[in-house]
Amino acid sequence: MLSGSLRRALAAAVVVVSGTAAVTVTPTAAVADTVNRVVLRDDFSGDSGAAPDAGRWDTDGDRRSSPWLDGDGHLLLGSALRTRKTFGQASGRAEARILVNREDGARRPLGVLGADGRAPDGQVEVLGSDRADGDDFHTYAVDWTPATLTWSLDGREVLRLTLEKDSRPYSFVLIPASGGGYRSSGMVVDAITVTARTTTPTASRSAPAWRAFTAYRTGDLVSQRNVVYRVREPHTSLPGWDPNLVPALFLKV
C-alpha cells in the first residue's frame, strides 16, 4: 500500500496511456565499491643482509646506519626509515609490529609526516598509557581521518592528535629513537601494513528501459530517454509513472 505522501506525488504525475514510443536504447550506470584496501604491505622477507625494498622505503637522507634484513622476516634498523609512497586517501590505518625499548611515546616508533615532510601540528589528547617493554613485539598503529590522527598500542587507543589542518598526503616513518629526536636505540620490525578507504569503479550495470505494469524493487536501475534512474521504493509501475515524472519513486543516477 502506498503512503499518503507517495499518493500525492503520484497524483501530480501526468498519465500517459498511449502514444509514447518504445525505448530501445539500454544505457549503463557505473557502479563503484568503497572498501578498505591494502595499499602497502611489507613482511621483510629476503636474504640476510639485504637492504629493504627500495620501491617501498626511503632512508630519509640518514646514511649513518643502513637498515638490513635478518633473513628471518625481520627488518633491523638504527636510523629513521620512511615509506616512499604517500597516502592521500580520506581515511586509513597504518599498523606495524615492532620490537623496541620504549618507555613512552607511541607516535615515535610509527610516526606520520605530512605533505611538507614534517610531523602534522595539532592538539594532543592522551587517551591511555603508551609504555611498552623491549622484550617482545608490540603492535603500533595510527588511524587517520581528515581531522584526526589516533595512535594505538596493542589495540588500545593511547593518543589522539586533532589536526590544525589537513596535512595529506601522509607518509609513515619508523623511528628507532629512545628520546624526542632520532637518536638510535635499535629497532626490529616484523611487518607493516597500510590500509585505506578507497573507492574503485566496478563493471557497469546495464539499465533496462522503464516499462509500465512492471514490479520494481528498491535499488533496481531503469533507463528512460538515455537517462538512468535508481528505484527508491518497491512498486508496480502504471502508465504515467515514468521516472522523470515521479521523483518520489526514482532517483536520477
Side-chain angles (χ1 to χ4, degrees), residues 44 68 70 72-78 96-101 134 136-138 140 174 176 185-191:
F44 304 111
W68 73 97
D70 70 353
D72 293 321
H74 300 122
L75 172 71
L76 286 72
L77 66 160
R97 277 180 45 80
I98 297 171
L99 188 155
V100 66
N101 187 18
D136 201 354
F137 285 94
H138 297 276
Y140 294 84
L174 300 167
S185 64
M187 174 186 284
V188 182
V189 186
D190 180 57

Side-chain angles (χ1 to χ4, degrees), residues 147-167:
T148 61
L149 295 167
T150 304
W151 279 263
S152 60
L153 174 62
D154 293 334
R156 297 178 291 104
E157 292 186 352
V158 295
L159 190 74
R160 178 175 296 120
L161 180 68
T162 300
L163 299 165
E164 289 184 359
K165 62 180 181 179
D166 188 348
S167 301

Side-chain angles (χ1 to χ4, degrees), residues 36-122:
N36 289 321
R37 296 188 184 279
V38 174
V39 290
L40 174 70
R41 176 168 176 79
D42 199 341
D43 59 5
F44 304 111
S45 59
D47 296 333
S48 177
D53 185 350
R56 295 186 174 111
W57 299 101
D58 187 335
T59 56
D60 205 24
D62 189 344
R63 305 295 181 182
R64 293 170 299 171
S65 179
S66 298
W68 73 97
L69 307 180
D70 70 353
D72 293 321
H74 300 122
L75 172 71
L76 286 72
L77 66 160
S79 61
L81 186 68
R82 68 183 289 181
T83 60
R84 185 173 294 278
K85 186 176 182 178
T86 60
F87 307 92
Q89 294 89 347
S91 62
R93 176 181 178 90
E95 181 176 297
R97 277 180 45 80
I98 297 171
L99 188 155
V100 66
N101 187 18
R102 181 75 58 181
E103 291 186 358
D104 55 32
R107 64 174 174 169
R108 291 186 183 138
L110 181 59
V112 181
L113 300 178
D116 59 0
R118 304 176 63 181
D121 293 323

